[in-house]
Amino acid sequence: MADKVLGIFGHPVAHSLSPAMHNHAARLLGLGYTYVAFDVRPESLRRAVESVRTLGIVGVNVTVPHKEKVARLVDKLDGDAKIVGAVNTITLKDGRLIGTNTDGVGFLRSLTEEKINPAGKTAVIIGAGGSSCSIGLSLLRAGASGITVVNRSSAGGEKLVRLLSPFGKISFVPSSSPSVADAFSEADIVVQTTPLGMKKSDPLPIANPSFFHSGQIVYDIIYAPEKTKLLKWAEKKGARTMNGLTMLVQQGSESFKTWTGQRFPEKKVLGFLKKLLKERADG
Ligand code: ATR
C-alpha cells in the first residue's frame, strides 16, 4: 500500500521538529503515513495549498510565515482558526481544504500537564502574531482574569486586542512603554511568543527582565535552545520556567488525531524529542 502523505509548509522549515515527531508517532502506531517538510516560498503558497487537494495529501501543518495567509486560501475555517484568522493545520476532507488551529489547545494542555490552571490569573503575552492570538484566546477561555499584550508594533498589538476583547479583559502596551514594567511585575504568567531567542545572537525580547520574581511562571514557546536567555533570566530571578516542547507535542497530537483518527503517543514522542534535541545540541 502506498504511504499516505502528511507534511508541513514553512519558510524556512529545515529546523522544524514536526517531521521527526509525526514520523516517529506513525512508526510507533504502525500507520502508513509519511510526513514531509516542504519549504514553501511566500510567492508559491497559493499553489502549494492547492497541491494538497491535487495530490491527495491527507493534511499539512502550517508554520512561520504562512499561518495567516493560509487562513485566506483554504475552503473553510473551523474552530479557533475562525477567530484568530491563522491556520496551523490543513486537512483534506471530501475534496475540501479545512483550516484549523491547534496552537491554543496545545498550549492549554501543556499547562495542564504541569498542573497549572490559568483561571483567575493575570498574564502578559510578548508578541502579537498568530501564536500569541491562539494562546491569548485559550487563556481567556480558561478563565484568565486579564491579559496584557506587549508588542513591538502597535498595529499587531491593537489587532489582537480587537480580536480577543469579546472573550475577556485584554489590553495592549507597546514594548517601548514604561508601563511594561508594571505589567511584568504584576503578571502571574508571562508567555513569550516572538522568534527572539532562537538564535544565540538574538537580543532579549524585553528591555528589562529584572521584573521577574518567584511565584511567577515564565513560559517561552521556543524549544530550541532548551533554555532561551529569557528563561535563564527568569530562573535566576526565582520564577518557574517552561519551554515550548510540550506545546509542540500537544498541538501536534491534536493535528495528528484530526488527520488519522488515532491517538498520538504523547509521552513516548516527548521522550523521543528530548533525546533528539539533546543529540542536536551536543552536536
Ligand atoms: P507566529 O505565527 O509564530 O506568532 P508571527 O505571526 O510572524 O509568528 O508573529 C511574530 C511576532 O513576533 C509578532 O508579534 C512580531 O512583532 P510585530 O507585530 O511588531 O511584527 C514579533 N517579532 C518578530 N520579530 C521581532 C523582533 N525582531 N523584535 C521584536 N518582535 C518581533
Side-chain angles (χ1 to χ4, degrees):
M1 188 183 72
D3 268 1
K4 293 181 276 263
V5 176
L6 298 168
I8 182 163
F9 291 169
H11 182 68
V13 77
H15 68 281
S16 171
L17 276 190
S18 291
M21 172 168 84
H22 286 283
N23 285 325
H24 188 69
R27 216 161 27 238
L28 285 175
L29 298 172
L31 301 174
Y33 287 85
T34 300
Y35 187 108
V36 185
F38 296 103
D39 194 326
V40 177
R41 291 177 172 280
E43 62 272 23
S44 311
L45 187 62
R46 181 180 291 276
R47 274 174 292 148
V49 170
E50 196 47 46
S51 74
V52 173
R53 194 195 329 267
T54 312
L55 300 174
I57 292 172
V58 176
V60 292
N61 282 128
V62 181
T63 189
V64 178
H66 302 316
K67 287 183 185 180
E68 289 179 14
K69 218 161 161 206
V70 162
R72 298 190 289 272
L73 296 174
V74 292
D75 299 319
K76 185 177 175 238
L77 294 176
D78 263 351
D80 287 359
K82 248 197 292 200
I83 298 161
V84 303
V87 162
N88 82 334
T89 306
I90 304 176
T91 307
L92 180 63
K93 202 172 167 202
D94 303 324
R96 298 185 76 212
L97 300 171
I98 313 297
T100 53
N101 198 314
T102 66
D103 283 338
V105 72
F107 174 77
L108 216 52
R109 283 202 210 137
S110 72
L111 291 185
T112 309
E113 291 280 306
E114 292 295 318
K115 315 240 177 319
I116 297 166
N117 180 358
K121 298 204 166 67
T122 55
V124 167
I125 305 180
I126 309 167
S131 309
S132 168
C133 199
S134 301
I135 288 169
L137 178 64
S138 73
L139 282 171
L140 289 176
R141 280 208 184 120
S145 57
I147 293 179
T148 306
V149 178
V150 173
N151 195 48
R152 169 179 68 174
S153 77
S154 298
E158 282 161 7
K159 180 179 168 203
L160 206 143
V161 167
R162 244 188 345 265
L163 287 173
L164 297 188
S165 50
F167 299 90
K169 198 171 152 218
I170 182 158
S171 58
F172 163 64
V173 177
S175 314
S176 54
S177 160
S179 58
V180 160
D182 290 339
F184 279 112
S185 304
E186 288 159 18
D188 299 309
I189 306 173
V190 175
V191 190
Q192 197 305 109
T193 70
T194 77
L196 290 177
M198 292 169 92
K199 287 192 272 158
K200 253 198 175 131
S201 56
D202 282 344
L204 279 167
I206 57 175
N208 187 347
S210 64
F211 311 115
F212 293 145
H213 52 81
S214 68
Q216 230 173 11
I217 294 155
V218 179
Y219 189 138
D220 196 324
I221 69 166
I222 292 171
Y223 53 79
E226 188 185 352
K227 263 184 211 152
T228 56
K229 270 184 214 161
L230 187 82
L231 289 191
K232 285 183 183 160
W233 254 101
E235 216 171 55
K236 216 161 64 184
K237 291 284 172 185
R240 179 175 172 189
T241 60
M242 282 179 75
N243 76 9
L245 196 60
T246 306
M247 177 179 167
L248 174 81
V249 171
Q250 292 296 337
Q251 62 78 33
S253 169
E254 192 65 14
S255 302
F256 191 86
K257 200 170 74 192
T258 306
W259 296 325
T260 69
Q262 304 284 322
R263 246 181 95 99
F264 200 66
E266 291 162 5
K267 287 220 159 59
K268 285 185 181 161
V269 169
L270 184 62
F272 167 77
L273 291 180
K274 279 185 180 162
K275 212 171 126 222
L276 187 70
L277 283 170
K278 191 172 177 321
E279 280 165 12
R280 283 190 190 175
D282 292 346

